[in-house]
Amino acid sequence: MLQSAFYTKGLTFCVPTKISGTRWLPHIVRVLDNLWKGYGAIMMHLRKLVSGDISSHERATPQLKSKARCLLKLHHAKDAMCFAHFLHDILTSLSKLALYLHQCDSSIYQSHQHLQSTVVMLRKYILKAGPHLQDIAGVEMFQGEALVSMPNYQFENETIGLIESLIN
C-alpha cells in the first residue's frame, strides 16, 4: 500500500533501509534522504491508514491506526521537522567523517584533519542553519503538507547544547 502511494504521487518507491552494523551513520542519512524524497507519499499513506480508506485485504488494526495518527501528528509538527532536518545536517557531517575513518589507508594526520574540519562545520551550524534545515526553516508548508507549531517545544533551545556536547 505504501508503494501505491509513491506511484500515485509520481515518485520512485524507496525501500526502507536497514540501520545497523558499523556504518550506521550513513544508513541513517540515507533513511532521512528517502524520508524527505517520499514525504508526500508517506503522509498520504498514513492518512489512509488513519481514515480506514484501504482495501479490504489490508485492514488496519487499532494499534496501527494509533501509530499512524501519532506519526502524522509528529510529521506535521514544525519544531519536530526542523529538528529532524537539523539532525540530518549534523549526521551528514558525522557520516562523512565516519566513512573516512573506516578507510584502511587513512593516516593519523589525515584523520585528525578530517576531525578538525568536521568540528569547524559543526560550529558553523551553531551560527547558521545547515543546508537541510534551510530547506524548512521559515516555511509553513513542506511538500504540500501544512506544518503546525507545537506550544511546549522550541527546537532552537536544543540545537546549541547538542552541538556543544558533540564537540566537547
Side-chain angles (χ1 to χ4, degrees), residues 71-89:
L71 280 172
L72 269 173
K73 185 177 178 181
L74 178 67
H75 284 280
H76 282 119
K78 183 172 176 74
D79 288 326
M81 290 295 289
C82 284
F83 192 69
H85 279 76
F86 167 74
L87 284 178
H88 195 180
D89 289 326

Side-chain angles (χ1 to χ4, degrees), residues 59 63 105 124 158:
R59 293 184 190 241
Q63 294 88 357
D105 59 348
K124 285 182 184 178
E158 307 296 327

Side-chain angles (χ1 to χ4, degrees), residues 150-168:
M150 299 300 280
N152 297 327
Y153 181 76
Q154 291 292 322
F155 109 93
E156 290 92 0
N157 299 339
E158 307 296 327
T159 58
I160 294 172
L162 177 65
I163 291 174
E164 287 177 350
S165 68
L166 285 171
I167 292 172
N168 299 328

